[in-house]
Amino acid sequence: MSEQYTYAVARIRALEGSLFSNSTVDQLMACRTYEQCLQFLTEKGWGDTETGSDGEAMLAREEEKIWETVKELSVPMEVFDVLSYPRLFHNLKAAIKEVCTEETNPRIFYGDVRISGEEMLDIVREKDFGRLPKSMQEAAGEAYESLLHTRDGQLCDVIIDKAALDAIREAGREAKDTIIRDYAESTVAVADIKIAVRSAKTAKTYDFMSRAMAECGSLSVRGLAKAALGGTDAIREYLLGTAYAEGAEALAQSPSAFERWCDNRIIQTIRPQKYKAFGIGPVVAYVIARQNEIKTVRIILSGKQNNLPDDSIRERVREMYV
């Protein structure tokens, strides 16, 4: 029943007041240096006494705060599984590459997922793929054997990334909550569009795209792949006839504008949850909004640190939830 989340939604409504608005992002952009940005964020309560002036540590701490808040709300954590799939499947990909290539990179794993990097390495070394969630098992075995025998890292990526999209789509189909269904649909569709754009720029075949793209309800994978064979202009023409017409406009502007639209589309999908009084939707939307906020801050910090022009940074800045 939606009423069981009344306290959680009330708490989220209070927390939304501290989310960055577009004007707050403008204030951060107005900081002239990387150090001034960190000072601004510290004054906004970002990081803690241990993160100091380490930007990445500050952002990592903010990620931790998201899940600390969610746990305080006493809501079922499995609701958020769909949000963790990209990181979970990333850990699988990283573990397979490390085992097959014998190249060690301990910092490549995400720690805030159901299966840690260390455990994933153990599973892959033992080829005990039955310990993985069902949605990962077949892809894990196929990607492992493929990389071991062909050394084709891109094929390994395609197999696992496609499995991740399929898992997100299935989670959306099985979800009772509208926000999970909508989030999953938008996420898979946007990922397919990204694959089409990259494929058009690198002259990939139709078979490659068919293997990489995941089915979704709001796009025809066949139609999108065929359009990609004709280049980015053909992709734009195809998108103009879909619910993703704004993506065609962004694609015409620049690669940065297109990447920005991809993330903004997800924020637009969840924004109606600001006006919901019941259900888990506002809580899920808050988590996505915070992750988007952190991603935007990372873009700005990176730009300032590398002395990029403000116009170049601003083109990459994402739209805020509030």
Side-chain angles (χ1 to χ4, degrees):
M1 295 176 63
S2 61
E3 289 79 3
Q4 67 180 303
Y5 301 117
T6 301
Y7 165 75
V9 173
R11 175 75 175 129
I12 288 301
R13 291 290 177 252
L15 291 171
E16 284 176 353
S18 62
L19 286 173
F20 280 13
S21 64
N22 290 326
S23 62
T24 310
V25 172
D26 287 340
Q27 291 176 336
L28 182 61
M29 276 293 304
C31 296
R32 293 190 175 184
T33 66
Y34 174 79
E35 289 73 23
Q36 288 178 1
C37 286
L38 292 181
Q39 181 60 38
F40 177 87
L41 293 169
T42 299
E43 292 171 358
K44 290 291 183 181
W46 281 49
D48 57 26
T49 55
E50 295 182 4
T51 58
S53 58
D54 185 335
E56 275 304 317
M58 178 183 286
L59 297 180
R61 180 68 189 112
E62 290 304 303
E63 284 277 359
E64 292 172 354
K65 288 180 184 178
I66 296 175
W67 300 109
E68 288 170 3
T69 297
V70 170
K71 289 174 182 177
E72 290 172 1
L73 299 176
S74 299
V75 297
M77 291 304 294
E78 58 266 22
V79 172
F80 304 95
D81 281 351
V82 68
L83 304 184
S84 71
Y85 284 157
R87 294 188 172 199
L88 182 61
F89 279 81
H90 166 87
N91 277 6
L92 172 61
K93 189 193 306 182
I96 288 174
K97 289 185 175 181
E98 183 165 316
V99 170
C100 291
T101 65
E102 299 181 350
E103 294 180 4
T104 303
N105 186 358
R107 298 187 65 181
I108 201 171
F109 294 104
Y110 290 112
D112 54 347
V113 290
R114 189 192 313 176
I115 302 175
S116 67
E118 184 178 345
E119 184 180 357
M120 194 71 81
L121 280 171
D122 184 62
I123 289 172
V124 174
R125 287 192 187 105
E126 299 297 325
K127 293 198 286 187
D128 190 6
F129 300 128
R131 289 163 57 188
L132 296 170
K134 189 174 181 180
S135 60
M136 303 180 78
Q137 293 175 11
E138 183 177 347
E142 183 182 358
Y144 176 87
E145 293 298 329
S146 172
L147 187 58
L148 190 64
H149 294 105
T150 70
R151 298 295 172 177
D152 187 340
Q154 185 181 60
L155 179 57
C156 174
D157 290 348
V158 167
I159 293 169
I160 296 176
D161 290 345
K162 167 73 180 307
L165 292 177
D166 286 339
I168 291 171
R169 179 173 183 258
E170 188 60 26
R173 293 175 61 181
E174 294 180 353
K176 297 179 181 178
D177 300 291
T178 302
I179 187 172
I180 300 298
R181 295 197 298 270
D182 292 346
Y183 169 82
E185 179 64 28
S186 286
T187 297
V188 174
V190 167
D192 284 342
I193 295 169
K194 283 184 175 181
I195 292 168
V197 171
R198 288 197 300 268
S199 296
K201 291 180 177 179
T202 54
K204 295 298 184 185
T205 66
Y206 178 85
D207 287 343
F208 174 89
M209 288 183 275
S210 296
R211 184 163 194 175
M213 294 178 182
E215 295 290 339
C216 64
S218 53
L219 284 175
S220 163
V221 168
R222 292 184 182 86
L224 183 58
K226 287 180 180 178
L229 293 176
T232 54
D233 286 345
I235 295 174
R236 287 177 52 223
E237 185 177 349
Y238 173 79
L239 292 178
L240 287 171
T242 72
Y244 306 96
E246 289 183 0
E249 298 172 9
L251 190 56
Q253 293 176 34
S254 70
S256 295
F258 173 70
E259 288 294 327
R260 181 177 188 268
W261 170 80
C262 290
D263 286 340
N264 287 350
R265 173 70 194 197
I266 304 300
I267 294 300
Q268 292 164 6
T269 297
I270 67 170
R271 185 165 282 128
Q273 298 301 322
K274 288 199 300 182
Y275 312 104
K276 303 288 186 181
F278 302 103
I280 195 65
V283 182
V284 176
Y286 174 80
V287 171
I288 298 171
R290 280 286 280 142
Q291 291 175 334
N292 178 68
E293 181 180 77
I294 293 168
K295 184 173 188 175
T296 296
V297 170
R298 177 175 279 109
I299 289 169
I300 295 173
L301 289 179
S302 177
K304 296 289 185 179
Q305 195 170 32
N306 290 285
N307 298 312
L308 295 180
D310 280 359
D311 288 346
S312 177
I313 301 172
R314 195 175 296 280
E315 189 179 36
R316 294 168 170 79
V317 168
R318 274 48 177 171
E319 184 178 315
M320 295 294 101
Y321 176 65
V322 296

